[in-house]
Amino acid sequence: MNAPLRRSGVVILVLFGLLFANLNWIQFYKADEYRTHEYNSRVTVAEYETPRGVIEAGGTALAQNKTTDDELKYLRTYPEGKIYAPVLGYKPVIGGATGIESAENDFLSGASDKLFGDRLSSMFTGDNPGGGNVVLSLSTKAQEVAWKQMTNNQRGVTKGAAVAIDPSTGAVQAMVSMPSYDPNPLVSHDTEAAAKAYQKLANDDDDPLINRATGATLPPGSVFKVIVSAAALQNGYKTSSEIEAGSSYKEGGATIRNSEEEVCPGSQVTLKEALTESCNTGFARLGVALGADKVKDTAKAFGFEDDTLKVGDLDSKTGLTVAASKTGDIANPDGSTDTAALAQSSLGQRDVRMTPMQGALMAATVANGGRQMRPYLVQKLLGPDRRTIYTAEAEKLRDPISSDVAGDLQDMMVSVVENGTGKRAQINGFTVGGKTGTAQNAEGADPHGWFIGFAFDSSGKAVSAVCVMLENVPGGHASAEAARIAGLIMKAAAGQGGD
Amino acid sequence: MTAPAVPAPPPASTGEMSRIPTGWKTRRNAELGLLAFAMTIVAVFGATVEAHQFDEIRMTSWIPAALVGILFLGLHVVVRYTAPFADPVLLPAVALINGIGVGFLRRLDLARAIAQKQPEPGIFAGTGGRQLAWTLASLILAAILLLVIRDHKVVSRYAYTLGLIGIVLVMIPAVLPSSISEVNGAKLWIRFGSFSIQPGEFAKIALVSFFAYYLVRKREVLSLASRRFLGIDFPRGRDLGPVVTVWLLSLLVLVFEKDLGTALLYFGLFVVTLYVATERASWLIIGLVLFFGGVYLAYLLGASIGGPFANFYDRAEVWLDPFSRANYERESGSSYQLVQGLLGLGTGGLFGAGPGAGSPGKVPEVRTDFIFAGLGEEIGLFGLTALLVLYLLIVERGLRAALAVHDSFGKLVAGGLAFTLGLQVFVILGGITGLIPLTGQTTPFLSAGGSSLMANWLLVAMLLRISDAARQPVAGLGRERSGPKKAPVQLHGAMTEVIKP
């Protein structure tokens, strides 16, 4: 009977060998997949064992934690709801974070190298203080004014964005996107309810989840004339140079008209006057006279075609991704310049697309004497004990224009606000410059209203540069409402006025 | 293969050493040393749990480990005097698994108490405390068995009685109303209030004894008096009748009790004892064909007519693709438990989160069927491998006792019990790890539950008894065996009834 007993032993050995092999498969080969599997909530529980860092601005907590009684110890809350959502993003229980929550995830969760010392000391003290805190550059006052004015605009516009930047540093003072969303339901510990809330937003035709300030590219309309003006000034034109204008202009099958009969009807107009009145025929001819390359190069110098820009943390270069603004091809199939397209593109139409962030950068560059500062949102990083770990140091991004050209452009843009189409952007006690844009888009749709501008205080210091974009503004003069809102935002960014 | 083909050679065979037992090694001190080592591991396990759960190791953490240590020490003393030549590895190996089981169950109690902000359960409260009490009861039973049954061959006298008892034990829950016999869909229990036992667990040992006795008696007939059909020798029906009857009965009952894992165990038990007794591989082939044929038939029936087979069909589907959303989210018989167990194991990875640092509470039934998955998250692949090796060690030591013992009855009982234990470990662990379809089974010595623990400790006591017989010097009935008691040594050995065809 020993032979079959021995064989039974072999059978058991083989069966155990199978168990062992299978365990290796699960615990070694598949371990990472299982560890991070969507059905596995262990990782999440561990993540919520320690508090995530706070995101704040101007002493106000914008993203913080509430202790709970359930399995996930901390609930992320966004006390300001919709106002900051496009900037902050949200950190859901299942799935990836968005916005600053995503860009600074390592720091907020405590995994960042910057917090290595804190992690090390917590190994010895035994208590884990959690992640680091992020202080945003946003001015809560400017942000609140921007949000209030955008959402209560006088034309009933439901979609748009506004960005305000400190021209001399690049610090983002306000960033609003509308419609926005309440991030709180999305971070609910009830993951089913969170998924439902997300689906509702994702299926919304108005795309509330998109941050329009950085992610929407729309035809900029006449705002683009600032670029064409810069190109002209860099190529020998003066603000007083006479350029050809007229009530209409035919170029390669395209007919350019002015917005109204009384705008630059004469055959000649100075460059400054052309910008002040937003003379379409003048700028179309000017663009064609300069040539596609100069227009495109100038746009590129201002930041067009750049798809690498992130607005967030200057140190780690993480942040909200800014979509590339584009001038389009402006070329015939054979490679030669399509002059009709060039004429239309010089007015910011045809295939020209721009983000509100790019508009604000243009205004800031002009206000800052031609130096474009790298925009940022993260002013400071604080350790869990609120020790300062990093403070943003302003960094130059580009030098698109000389200070002379910038000075001329300032002059021309101030004229726009004082004498021209941007009058509604005026603010008491400040010198305001800017450029309006009314951009046709789809056939039969109301145009988009744009305004980019800047404000100097009484001492001549550039305090704010802004871009306001309103989509499909009904009732004509689309840019006037944008200009009005821009003025109020800049005033708030300069520390004045409540609204 | 660790079990050597050669049984421990009795030095008594050389004339010089025939003065035994003075020079004979009982290896009892080795057992004590191994036991101390095992208890050290249990204590470290308990301390690590506290370190992770409370962020401090309190002096009280040693109490449960010390208590189980004392219990096993008590059994060791009993073994020292009643089975001095018993295999020294069996007891410490089982004690280590049992101790880890108690420690892990207590760890689950602690985690639950902390989560619910309740005071920590007392030493004998909670699942871990109850398991500790059950361990005490089991060890007393094992000690009684060792004290009462001084020679395993005595058992064969009561073989038919045991066979009957086995059948009755298996049948009781089937005939009882579901209200007192059904737990989680399986009718395997007798419940009195909060107290419940699983009588089928004890049937294993009774049935093995009956099979062994009967097959030894009929051995020659079964191997010789056969009809050849399709190149395979089939025994005459009247020779095999009682065994097949007992086996069919238990199987039928188990179908009614809706527990396929246990049915599989009895099937394996039956086939292996038959194979070992007859030494004919054809039995294995017939057994395997029957088994897999039956499984496939049940699967097909489940897919087409459903009814009592639907449950089986669901389990097979879940086994084939546990991670599919349909199987994960289905209303009944979902793969949720299996998937959570696998994710726990995967999360544990190579080294595990450390005792007390995982989230075994996420796996349903982690105290019973899925304890291996919960433990695996915390002790990792290396820890589980060590556990597997321990189980393998127990099984192979049991088989080694079967190889070494001289009487056929002892061979069959030890072999059958050891193999069944190994098969049970394979069935439950294979189920949890998705190797085979999941069937509800306890993990021997580890899962919470008194019936399983007691029955398996009785099994170990039986193996200890047989290994003692296998390893003791042939000539020496030693100090302990002095006295007039005359064992029926020859009764079930080679001299079986041989009925010439």
Side-chain angles (χ1 to χ4, degrees):
Chain A
M1 288 163 103
N2 281 359
L5 274 174
R6 234 172 266 132
R7 283 190 207 110
S8 308
V10 174
V11 169
I12 291 291
L13 201 63
V14 169
L15 292 181
F16 273 60
L18 288 174
L19 286 180
F20 177 67
N22 197 39
L23 273 179
N24 273 280
W25 170 258
I26 294 167
Q27 297 200 282
F28 179 65
Y29 185 79
K30 293 282 233 182
D32 280 336
E33 184 188 325
Y34 286 170
R35 212 170 277 144
T36 54
H37 197 279
E38 60 167 319
Y39 295 155
N40 194 346
S41 55
R42 288 175 186 79
V43 189
T44 317
V45 172
E47 191 182 345
Y48 282 77
E49 279 297 300
T50 58
R52 188 176 173 84
V54 169
I55 306 178
E56 58 190 72
T60 307
L62 307 175
Q64 58 188 12
N65 309 298
K66 208 163 78 183
T67 52
T68 68
D69 289 334
D70 61 27
E71 193 182 26
L72 307 180
K73 276 195 197 160
Y74 296 97
L75 175 68
R76 196 71 164 160
T77 62
Y78 302 93
E80 300 294 330
K82 294 178 169 184
I83 304 180
Y84 293 88
V87 176
L88 301 177
Y90 58 94
K91 169 74 184 73
V93 172
I94 293 177
T98 65
I100 290 294
E101 288 272 33
S102 164
E104 294 295 339
N105 189 44
D106 277 359
F107 193 79
L108 290 164
S109 69
S112 165
D113 291 342
K114 295 191 181 92
L115 295 170
F116 178 75
D118 298 73
R119 279 205 304 282
L120 202 66
S121 68
S122 76
M123 268 176 73
F124 294 103
T125 59
D127 49 18
N128 191 334
N133 307 304
V134 173
V135 181
L136 298 182
S137 61
L138 294 178
S139 145
T140 49
K141 194 170 177 184
Q143 181 79 4
E144 277 158 29
V145 166
W147 173 255
K148 193 173 169 195
Q149 293 301 327
M150 289 292 284
T151 52
N152 295 310
N153 67 78
Q154 297 170 358
R155 302 287 181 84
V157 177
T158 57
K159 293 183 279 184
V163 181
I165 295 177
D166 181 332
S168 57
T169 62
V172 176
Q173 297 163 325
M175 184 184 281
V176 158
S177 175
M178 118 178 132
S180 183
Y181 58 93
D182 182 359
N184 290 303
L186 301 175
V187 299
S188 163
H189 288 183
D190 179 349
T191 52
E192 258 177 55
K196 225 177 214 172
Y198 173 81
Q199 274 311 320
K200 192 160 176 278
L201 292 169
N203 294 333
D204 190 326
D205 288 339
D206 283 346
D207 296 325
L209 290 171
I210 288 178
N211 180 355
R212 291 176 150 77
T214 53
T217 56
L218 301 168
S222 303
V223 167
F224 195 70
K225 288 171 184 166
V226 173
I227 302 264
V228 181
S229 300
L233 291 167
Q234 278 180 310
N235 287 281
Y237 287 79
K238 303 277 178 244
T239 58
S240 55
S241 300
E242 298 273 329
I243 59 169
E244 284 187 71
S247 56
S248 81
Y249 164 51
K250 275 196 170 66
E251 178 62 57
T255 306
I256 311 290
R257 286 180 210 289
N258 292 317
S259 58
E260 292 177 37
E261 284 293 319
E262 56 271 27
V263 175
C264 57
S267 63
Q268 300 268 306
V269 66
T270 65
L271 186 57
K272 186 174 175 177
E273 277 168 8
L275 193 73
T276 306
E277 293 179 34
S278 202
C279 169
N280 286 348
T281 53
F283 273 97
R285 288 174 188 272
L286 180 59
V288 173
L290 288 166
D293 286 348
K294 284 185 179 135
V295 172
K296 289 183 79 160
D297 287 350
T298 307
K300 206 169 175 181
F302 270 97
F304 273 63
E305 320 295 339
D306 178 8
D307 57 4
T308 62
L309 183 65
K310 288 183 190 293
V311 181
D313 181 344
L314 291 179
D315 188 29
S316 58
K317 299 276 190 283
T318 58
L320 315 181
T321 303
V322 181
S325 300
K326 300 213 151 131
T327 48
D329 274 350
I330 322 184
N332 290 314
D334 65 1
S336 62
T337 300
D338 179 345
T339 49
L342 177 56
Q344 289 170 320
S345 297
S346 300
L347 311 178
Q349 296 286 164
R350 193 78 177 213
D351 294 330
V352 183
R353 297 289 180 275
M354 189 176 87
T355 60
M357 173 54 79
Q358 176 63 36
L361 281 178
M362 279 160 53
T365 307
V366 172
N368 196 40
R371 282 161 58 90
Q372 191 173 90
M373 306 307 286
R374 183 180 284 278
Y376 66 87
L377 268 162
V378 176
Q379 189 69 50
K380 278 182 180 179
L381 295 176
L382 308 178
D385 52 358
R386 300 196 66 79
R387 176 172 50 89
T388 301
I389 289 176
Y390 158 81
T391 305
E393 280 180 43
E395 179 188 319
K396 192 180 76 180
L397 180 61
R398 299 185 182 88
D399 270 321
I401 45 174
S402 67
S403 58
D404 289 348
V405 171
D408 288 346
L409 283 172
Q410 284 174 16
D411 189 29
M412 289 163 66
M413 287 169 76
V414 167
S415 169
V416 170
V417 172
E418 286 181 353
N419 316 308
T421 55
K423 283 179 185 155
R424 298 202 66 185
Q426 290 172 0
I427 1 171
N428 278 339
F430 291 87
T431 307
V432 178
K435 181 70 195 87
T436 55
T438 300
Q440 289 160 3
N441 43 90
E443 194 75 34
D446 288 320
H448 304 320
W450 288 84
F451 183 84
I452 69 168
F454 49 79
F456 291 97
D457 65 12
S458 49
S459 66
K461 182 182 181 301
V463 289
S464 186
V466 74
C467 174
V468 173
M469 179 274 290
L470 296 169
E471 288 183 35
N472 305 109
V473 184
H477 297 286
S479 59
E481 178 64 1
R484 181 190 71 84
I485 294 170
L488 293 173
I489 295 173
M490 289 191 286
K491 190 175 174 188
Q496 291 200 7
D499 48 334
Chain B
M1 185 73 169
T2 52
V6 186
S13 59
T14 68
E16 187 225 353
M17 292 287 284
S18 59
R19 288 174 284 104
I20 37 92
T22 31
W24 190 268
K25 285 198 173 112
T26 63
R27 311 290 295 167
R28 291 279 61 81
N29 291 335
E31 181 177 86
L32 187 60
L34 286 173
L35 198 55
F37 177 63
M39 287 311 107
T40 310
I41 296 177
V42 172
V44 170
F45 183 90
T48 318
V49 164
E50 295 226 337
H52 280 127
Q53 291 283 322
F54 297 104
D55 293 332
E56 60 166 335
I57 302 171
R58 302 162 306 175
M59 284 317 290
T60 51
S61 77
W62 303 98
I63 294 175
L67 278 176
V68 291
I70 290 167
L71 296 185
F72 294 129
L73 193 67
L75 188 63
H76 164 76
V77 171
V78 173
V79 170
R80 199 173 264 271
Y81 288 103
T82 61
F85 296 100
D87 191 304
V89 177
L90 273 173
L91 176 58
V94 176
L96 177 50
I97 300 177
N98 194 161
I100 294 287
V102 171
F104 184 68
L105 292 170
R106 181 158 178 82
R107 171 244 179 282
L108 294 174
D109 295 337
L110 290 179
R112 178 183 279 179
I114 291 169
Q116 296 177 349
K117 299 195 168 51
Q118 283 169 352
E120 174 185 340
I123 294 297
F124 288 98
T127 323
R130 272 205 302 282
Q131 188 78 347
L132 188 57
W134 282 121
T135 305
L136 173 64
S138 305
L139 297 186
I140 290 172
L141 263 185
I144 289 173
L145 188 141
L146 284 171
L147 285 164
V148 170
I149 303 175
R150 291 306 185 94
D151 183 342
H152 62 272
K153 292 184 281 296
V154 172
V155 175
S156 66
R157 287 189 204 153
Y158 310 101
Y160 281 104
T161 317
L162 284 171
L164 188 67
I165 290 173
I167 291 282
V168 170
L169 286 177
V170 174
M171 276 174 71
I172 291 171
V175 296
L176 288 175
S178 291
S179 59
I180 57 168
S181 67
E182 192 162 320
V183 175
N184 292 337
K187 264 176 79 103
L188 289 171
W189 306 81
I190 308 174
R191 292 192 294 166
F192 323 94
S194 65
F195 179 82
S196 63
I197 64 165
Q198 214 176 338
E201 288 281 350
F202 297 95
K204 249 185 322 202
I205 301 167
L207 288 177
V208 169
S209 304
F210 167 69
F211 285 168
Y213 171 76
Y214 186 81
L215 292 171
V216 166
R217 270 178 65 90
K218 297 282 182 178
R219 200 178 151 211
E220 307 288 335
V221 178
L222 288 171
S223 348
L224 299 174
S226 52
R227 292 170 198 181
R228 217 169 165 78
F229 181 68
L230 293 173
I232 299 169
D233 293 317
F234 289 92
R236 297 180 309 191
R238 68 165 180 266
D239 297 325
L240 210 50
V243 175
V244 172
T245 310
V246 169
W247 169 72
L248 267 181
L249 264 176
S250 25
L251 221 56
L252 266 179
V253 165
L254 286 167
V255 169
F256 283 108
E257 289 171 3
K258 296 182 250 176
D259 190 78
L260 285 148
T262 315
L264 172 60
L265 277 192
Y266 287 110
F267 193 96
L269 174 62
F270 171 70
V271 169
V272 161
T273 41
L274 195 57
Y275 166 60
V276 173
T278 61
E279 304 197 23
R280 278 174 189 271
S282 55
W283 289 115
L284 288 184
I285 296 162
I286 294 171
L288 287 175
V289 168
L290 275 178
F291 176 72
F292 285 108
V295 166
Y296 189 61
L297 187 70
Y299 176 77
L300 290 182
L301 287 172
S304 53
I305 62 167
F309 301 101
N311 179 31
F312 180 77
Y313 176 76
D314 287 351
R315 288 209 166 171
E317 285 294 298
V318 159
W319 168 61
L320 289 171
D321 190 6
F323 284 94
S324 82
R325 197 159 279 280
N327 282 333
Y328 187 73
E329 287 172 356
R330 77 164 73 196
E331 289 288 317
S332 68
S334 97
S335 64
Y336 180 80
Q337 184 184 27
L338 181 60
V339 164
Q340 288 304 321
L342 287 174
L343 296 182
L345 286 171
T347 307
L350 291 183
F351 302 97
S359 315
K362 297 197 171 303
V363 185
E365 307 292 340
V366 74
R367 285 173 172 75
T368 51
D369 293 5
F370 270 69
I371 193 164
F372 199 74
L375 204 49
E377 184 187 346
E378 304 202 323
I379 63 177
L381 178 62
F382 290 120
L384 289 190
T385 305
L387 266 183
L388 269 187
V389 169
L390 277 178
Y391 279 118
L392 194 60
L393 207 58
I394 295 165
V395 173
E396 299 296 353
R397 287 283 167 162
L399 289 173
R400 182 188 283 206
L403 286 167
V405 80
H406 299 296
D407 66 299
S408 303
F409 176 71
K411 277 182 188 300
L412 273 182
V413 171
L417 289 178
F419 186 85
T420 312
L421 188 70
L423 193 60
Q424 182 169 351
V425 172
F426 176 76
V427 168
I428 181 60
L429 300 197
I432 286 169
T433 56
L435 190 61
I436 57 172
L438 181 65
T439 60
Q441 277 296 313
T442 56
T443 311
F445 309 111
L446 210 52
S447 297
S451 311
S452 164
L453 197 61
M454 285 201 285
N456 284 315
W457 266 108
L458 281 177
L459 188 156
V460 168
M462 203 66 193
L463 290 180
L464 282 171
R465 170 55 68 222
I466 294 171
S467 75
D468 175 56
R471 293 162 60 96
Q472 68 177 278
V474 168
L477 286 177
R479 304 175 297 277
E480 296 79 8
R481 291 186 179 273
S482 58
K485 195 178 147 205
K486 195 98 173 95
V489 177
Q490 297 297 312
L491 202 57
H492 305 291
M495 304 299 159
T496 44
E497 300 167 284
V498 176
I499 301 151
K500 300 285 177 202

